[in-house]
């Protein structure tokens, strides 16, 4: 799925929508500033890395880009892509657990954290820790864009339970179900202002967060 043309189009749409959400938050992202630094957290595939790097470098060719993932395959594929096609940009790729990002990156060193379908890899407690780490890594004008599944009605709880079972059964991946109410409460208590928006998938929501000062 992550390698299809539709997903590529979806990502372009999502990045554009994230920028529009920032306007709703009265926030002007500093893409063009000299030391603009961003992180793609849990890259998933080289196609996503490619879209992200192009989105950022079209706005600022000198931006510093970090890309991380826990998966060896993902990291190897992205390193190959960058070495072969995007070597002129400042891209740093690491295999690291997002819950240990504070060992890799200094406090207040990031302007933007982007990720997609990532929050559901964390149970409630780890998600709280992840948001605390992200909050610490973002500078005062830092922001986050992401999209994720939320369970709300009895129907979505059932379809999510099935999706989570499938992920475990076929991919061996443990995912965790979160409600919109739960995520909203976590964002608030972790020090963010945010907006929530739709995506083309009814149970998949868009979240854009700005660090509260
Ligand atoms: C759904 S995929 C991400 C999709 C990607 N953001 C995109 O837009 O194509 C989730 C990725 O997160 C990675 N991941 C899961 N838990 C992680 C963790 N604790 N630290 C870093 N990466 C993690 C997985 O290996 C997987 O590649």
């Amino acid at each position: 799925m992550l390698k299809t043309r539709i997903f590529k189009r979806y990502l372009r749409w999502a990045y554009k929508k994230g920028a529009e959400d920032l306007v709703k938050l009265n926030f002007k992202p500093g893409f063009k500033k000299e030391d603009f630094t961003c992180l793609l957290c849990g890259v998933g595939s080289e196609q996503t890395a490619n879209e992200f790097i192009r989105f950022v470098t079209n706005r600022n060719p000198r931006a510093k880009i970090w890309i991380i993932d826990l998966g060896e395959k993902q990291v190897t594929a992205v390193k190959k892509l960058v070495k072969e096609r995007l070597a002129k940009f400042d891209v740093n790729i690491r295999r690291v657990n997002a819950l240990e990002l504070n060992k890799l990156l200094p406090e207040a060193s990031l302007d933007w954290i982007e990720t997609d379908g990532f929050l559901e890899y964390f149970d409630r407690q780890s998600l709280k820790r992840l948001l605390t780490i992200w909050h610490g890594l973002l500078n005062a004008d830092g922001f986050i864009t992401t999209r994720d599944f939320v369970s709300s009605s009895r129907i979505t709880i059932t379809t999510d339970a099935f999706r989570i079972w499938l992920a475990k059964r076929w991919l061996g991946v443990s995912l965790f179900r979160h409600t919109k109410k739960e995520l909203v409460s976590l964002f608030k208590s972790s020090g963010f202002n945010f907006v929530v928006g739709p995506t083309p998938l009814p149970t998949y929501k868009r979240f854009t967060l700005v660090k509260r000062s």
Side-chain angles (χ1 to χ4, degrees), residues 20-32:
E20 287 173 22
D21 286 343
L22 290 171
V23 175
K24 289 184 202 153
L25 287 162
N26 276 332
F27 183 90
K28 201 165 182 281
F31 286 117
K32 293 194 189 312

Side-chain angles (χ1 to χ4, degrees), residues 1 23 40 45 66 76 113-114 127 131 143 154 173-175 207:
M1 173 65 193
V23 175
L40 176 54
S45 76
W66 287 93
T76 306
I113 299 172
E114 151 65 21
L127 199 50
L131 286 165
F143 61 99
R154 236 189 265 157
V173 172
S174 297
L175 299 177
F207 300 99

Side-chain angles (χ1 to χ4, degrees), residues 8-180:
K8 196 196 248 190
R9 256 198 257 149
Y10 155 75
L11 280 179
R12 286 181 191 169
W13 172 87
Y15 297 158
K16 192 171 139 265
K17 280 294 187 189
E20 287 173 22
D21 286 343
L22 290 171
V23 175
K24 289 184 202 153
L25 287 162
N26 276 332
F27 183 90
K28 201 165 182 281
F31 286 117
K32 293 194 189 312
K33 77 178 180 131
E34 202 181 327
D35 57 350
F36 185 81
T37 307
C38 53
L39 165 72
L40 176 54
C41 195
V43 59
S45 76
E46 63 273 38
Q47 280 74 10
T48 298
N50 187 42
E51 284 308 312
F52 183 74
I53 294 168
R54 291 195 188 281
F55 180 88
V56 174
T57 54
N58 279 342
R59 283 154 186 80
N60 184 345
R62 291 197 301 179
K64 190 175 185 75
I65 301 174
W66 287 93
I67 296 181
I68 68 119
D69 202 287
L70 197 51
E72 192 176 350
K73 264 193 197 162
Q74 292 89 318
V75 169
T76 306
V78 174
K79 279 188 174 164
K80 186 168 178 280
L81 163 85
V82 170
K83 193 173 165 203
E84 289 174 0
R85 293 180 24 211
L86 300 162
K88 64 179 174 183
F89 299 120
D90 185 355
V91 184
N92 305 271
I93 307 138
R94 297 281 192 285
R95 183 177 178 205
V96 66
N97 186 340
L99 295 173
E100 294 183 357
L101 267 172
N102 49 342
K103 293 185 190 159
L104 174 71
L105 300 170
E107 277 227 343
S109 60
L110 296 176
D111 294 282
W112 178 24
I113 299 172
E114 151 65 21
T115 185
D116 191 283
F118 189 65
L119 305 182
E120 66 171 354
Y121 280 76
F122 300 85
D123 63 15
R124 193 185 160 82
Q125 215 180 349
S126 315
L127 199 50
K128 176 76 193 155
R129 209 172 124 216
L130 180 70
L131 286 165
T132 305
I133 290 171
W134 281 353
H135 191 273
L137 293 179
L138 286 171
N139 64 33
D141 293 323
F143 61 99
I144 301 174
T145 52
T146 189
R147 282 77 47 202
D148 228 299
F149 284 104
V150 288
S151 302
S152 46
S153 66
R154 236 189 265 157
I155 294 173
T156 56
I157 288 173
T158 313
T159 53
D160 273 354
F162 180 62
R163 191 173 49 74
I164 287 169
W165 175 81
L166 267 186
K168 185 77 192 166
R169 177 83 172 74
W170 296 106
L171 303 172
V173 172
S174 297
L175 299 177
F176 299 88
R177 196 167 57 76
H178 299 290
T179 62
K180 182 172 156 195

